Amino acid sequence: MPLTMPTWPDLLGSAERTAVHLEMRDSYAVDYETGPFADWRAGHRHNPADRASWWRPWLDLVAATVGRGVAVRRARIVSEPVSEYTRFLYDGTFTNVAAGEEVRWLPRRQASTLALPGNDFWLIDGRLVRWNHFTGEGSSAGGEMSDDPAAAKLCADAFSAVWERAIPHGRYEIR
């Protein structure tokens, strides 16, 4: 029987020790005409000193999760030179870090010898997987939950291997 898809507050709220996220795409579907990516392309950059202008519900959720003692980590595998979308993500990652998330970057060439799952995922406490599915164009094709121990182990092992090789956000230089 398939697991019910929890809301993000419920999913992160269920975490007791860890919530880790692996991202492996060079771009995700965005509206090139309007929204944050379009604003960034037009030259807008978040002002780190003006927290009110960039703080949003997701960051509140991350901060609350970290505040409960849960380690929230995100690893991104990226092609180099990076895509325009990855550059956009990089420029805004200081907001994730400000919320308490640890973020690392792994150049794709350094991931060649790693066994990785076929989809991006969140792994909660090493036991619950939320797969993120995408279309070929990068649009969300929905999520899928799994409590299969083999899937959780695959994700835990993959994330650990990526995390070990990846470069902390503060030291990663965009190429």
Side-chain angles (χ1 to χ4, degrees):
M1 178 172 177
L3 297 177
T4 304
M5 184 62 61
T7 64
W8 288 110
D10 287 344
L11 183 64
L12 290 185
S14 74
E16 296 176 1
R17 297 177 320 282
T18 60
V20 300
H21 183 39
L22 182 60
E23 296 177 347
M24 299 181 283
R25 297 180 60 92
D26 286 319
S27 66
Y28 295 85
V30 295
D31 188 338
Y32 283 81
E33 304 299 322
T34 63
F37 185 60
D39 294 344
W40 178 86
R41 291 179 91 204
H44 172 75
R45 299 297 183 267
H46 292 300
N47 177 352
D50 184 11
R51 186 178 183 120
S53 72
W54 48 263
W55 198 260
R56 53 195 181 274
W58 173 254
L59 299 174
D60 282 333
L61 178 57
V62 169
T65 303
V66 170
R68 292 192 340 268
V70 176
V72 179
R73 295 187 178 110
R74 178 185 308 257
R76 292 179 171 139
I77 298 174
V78 296
S79 299
E80 292 180 328
V82 300
S83 68
E84 183 181 31
Y85 186 82
T86 297
R87 205 171 280 283
F88 160 71
L89 287 178
Y90 180 85
D91 283 351
T93 295
F94 78 89
T95 66
N96 300 76
V97 173
E101 221 178 299
E102 295 177 71
V103 180
R104 292 187 181 182
W105 303 81
L106 181 63
R108 191 169 309 280
R109 287 181 180 268
Q110 294 177 27
S112 296
T113 58
L114 299 179
L116 301 169
N119 294 291
D120 290 10
F121 63 85
W122 276 90
L123 178 63
I124 307 299
D125 292 331
R127 63 172 176 74
L128 184 63
V129 180
R130 184 196 194 277
W131 301 107
N132 296 327
H133 299 296
F134 297 94
T135 68
E137 298 297 320
S139 297
S140 175
E144 176 185 359
M145 297 300 300
S146 174
D147 60 1
D148 175 47
K153 182 176 182 345
L154 169 70
C155 291
D157 290 349
F159 188 86
S160 291
V162 169
W163 192 256
E164 185 177 303
R165 289 184 187 185
I167 303 161
H169 177 70
R171 293 197 344 246
Y172 180 68
E173 294 180 22
I174 282 286
R175 290 184 170 79

